[in-house]
Amino acid sequence: MNTDITALLEIDWAKILPFALPIIFFNLLLIGVALYDWFKRKDRIAAPYAWLAAILLFQSLGPILYLVIGRKVIRHDYSRETS
Amino acid sequence: MTNFYTLTQTELAEAAKEYKFIWLTLFFVILGVTQPLINNYMDVILENVGGADGITIEPNRPVPSSGEVLLSTISGQFNQIGLIILIISFMGLIASDRNSGMQDFILTRPVAIPSYLLSKLAGHWLISMFAIAIGAAVSYGYTIFLFGSFSFSDFLLFLLMYSLWILYVISLAILISTFIKGPILIAVTTIAVSIFLILIKSFNHLVFQLSPGGVLNVAENQLLPGGEVNHFSILSCGVFIVFNIWLAKINLNKQ
């Protein structure tokens, strides 16, 4: 992951935007699908906030891994059964 | 036969409930869009974000033909990272059934093992080819927009051959999941075997050409004619698929 933020300021956006746009759009759509599912299930899955960070920070691989693995790992919540 | 249709339908319904159609398609579209764009705008990208002062790109370098770009999309993106994600997405196709007890439930009904296995094969093949076909079509659109025209019938033939390879990978995953219990281990083994098959397919010997990966040679020849291809590898790939399913059936019978 590139963490040098200042490089973003030097980019000639007008030149790079036309072809970066579809890639950014589809990536945002993928993140949106993953986030929608995360909001529905965040009380049931294990380590929900770690998965939220994974979805938001890792480009395209994070949402996929969440949708394949994360949403199926259900938390064992024994406290709820007794109450 | 009705069992087969019902099981395939449940497979597809499950995938739709997991949004698999949406995100797998999105992923392949991202892969398909990225490669032609990077190929075309490499100099702009290097100039702006590369931090590459002093690197010059030959201004009169040969522009790749659209066939070459499509080939690099498929063999560089779909067949590596795409294949890995695809296999991870169906690593639990039999293991999760077994762990939840669903397999015992299905197989104690009057359902023949072949129709159970074939429904898995058909269901996951339809899901994967839906995603791959849309991703490849978007990639095709971008490629002819940026690099010039390419015959659509060749592209369709290529997709047909490539779908055979995907069918083989799914049958391999089914076979391996009858041997191994854990889903992660199944995914790793399947990925290792299929990458190995992709590696050995390009050796110029009859044994390697008739290996299951040989059908990829035929597929790539549709995009970029010229190499030696053995059309019998289509047949041999089919034989390998049937063999995998047969072996998986014997294995399930034993358990």
Side-chain angles (χ1 to χ4, degrees), chain A residues 1 7-8 10 18 20 22 24-25 33 37 61 66-67 70 72 76:
Chain A
M1 216 186 325
L8 284 178
E10 296 160 8
I24 293 173
F25 171 72
V33 171
D37 193 67
L61 212 60
Y66 166 73
L67 288 165
K72 292 204 182 127
H76 294 292

Side-chain angles (χ1 to χ4, degrees), chain A residues 7 10-12 15-16 19-20 22-23 26-27 29-30 33 36-37 40 59-61 64-65 67-69 71-72, chain B residues 17-19 22-24 26-27 29-30 33-34 37-38 41 44-45 47-49 81 85 88-89 91 138 142 184:
Chain A
E10 296 160 8
I11 299 173
D12 191 356
K15 242 182 180 177
I16 220 162
F19 62 91
I23 298 176
F26 286 121
N27 268 310
L29 216 59
L30 193 59
V33 171
Y36 171 72
D37 193 67
K40 281 208 320 198
Q59 179 235 329
S60 81
L61 212 60
I64 298 271
L65 283 183
L67 288 165
V68 178
I69 301 169
R71 71 198 296 276
K72 292 204 182 127
Chain B
K17 236 166 75 182
E18 291 181 344
Y19 314 115
I22 300 173
W23 61 258
L24 206 57
L26 271 179
F27 179 72
V29 167
I30 290 173
V33 166
T34 311
L37 286 178
I38 285 181
Y41 290 104
V44 184
I45 295 172
E47 225 172 80
N48 286 295
V49 292
I81 184 78
I85 292 293
I88 287 177
S89 83
M91 67 186 174
V138 171
Y142 263 87
I184 302 285

Side-chain angles (χ1 to χ4, degrees), chain B residues 35-37 39-40 63-66 69 142-149:
Chain B
Q35 184 71 31
L37 286 178
N39 269 1
N40 198 26
V63 178
S65 70
S66 44
V69 176
Y142 263 87
T143 307
I144 58 171
F145 175 64
L146 293 172
F147 291 94
S149 64

Side-chain angles (χ1 to χ4, degrees), chain B residues 2-185:
Chain B
T2 47
N3 280 336
F4 170 73
Y5 284 125
T6 321
L7 285 171
T8 311
Q9 265 171 14
T10 44
E11 208 67 47
L12 295 180
E14 202 183 322
K17 236 166 75 182
E18 291 181 344
Y19 314 115
K20 208 174 187 180
F21 283 110
I22 300 173
W23 61 258
L24 206 57
T25 309
L26 271 179
F27 179 72
F28 276 102
V29 167
I30 290 173
L31 283 187
V33 166
T34 311
Q35 184 71 31
L37 286 178
I38 285 181
N39 269 1
N40 198 26
Y41 290 104
M42 183 53 93
D43 44 349
V44 184
I45 295 172
L46 270 183
E47 225 172 80
N48 286 295
V49 292
D53 300 330
I55 294 180
T56 49
I57 293 181
E58 179 80 36
N60 45 7
R61 66 187 187 281
V63 178
S65 70
S66 44
E68 281 170 356
V69 176
L70 269 177
L71 186 62
S72 71
T73 309
I74 299 302
S75 62
Q77 306 273 5
F78 282 25
N79 243 350
Q80 286 167 17
I81 184 78
L83 194 70
I84 289 172
I85 292 293
L86 199 64
I87 290 173
I88 287 177
S89 83
F90 55 63
M91 67 186 174
L93 86 175
I94 284 186
S96 67
D97 263 15
R98 180 169 44 211
N99 294 344
S100 65
M102 194 41 103
Q103 197 181 45
D104 297 331
F105 182 78
I106 292 173
L107 292 184
T108 46
R109 315 279 129 165
V111 173
I113 289 181
S115 68
Y116 170 69
L117 290 175
L118 283 179
S119 76
K120 289 278 176 199
L121 189 68
H124 286 269
W125 181 72
L126 282 177
I127 298 162
S128 330
M129 279 323 291
F130 177 80
I132 289 176
I134 290 183
V138 171
S139 176
Y140 173 77
Y142 263 87
T143 307
I144 58 171
F145 175 64
L146 293 172
F147 291 94
S149 64
F150 186 78
S151 153
F152 189 66
S153 57
D154 277 0
F155 174 71
L156 276 186
L157 259 178
F158 157 78
L159 261 188
L160 204 67
M161 299 299 162
Y162 193 72
S163 73
L164 253 182
W165 162 247
I166 297 296
L167 198 63
Y168 175 77
V169 172
I170 298 169
S171 74
L172 189 70
I174 289 176
L175 173 64
I176 287 175
S177 52
T178 57
F179 282 106
I180 303 174
K181 294 274 185 292
I184 302 285
L185 209 59

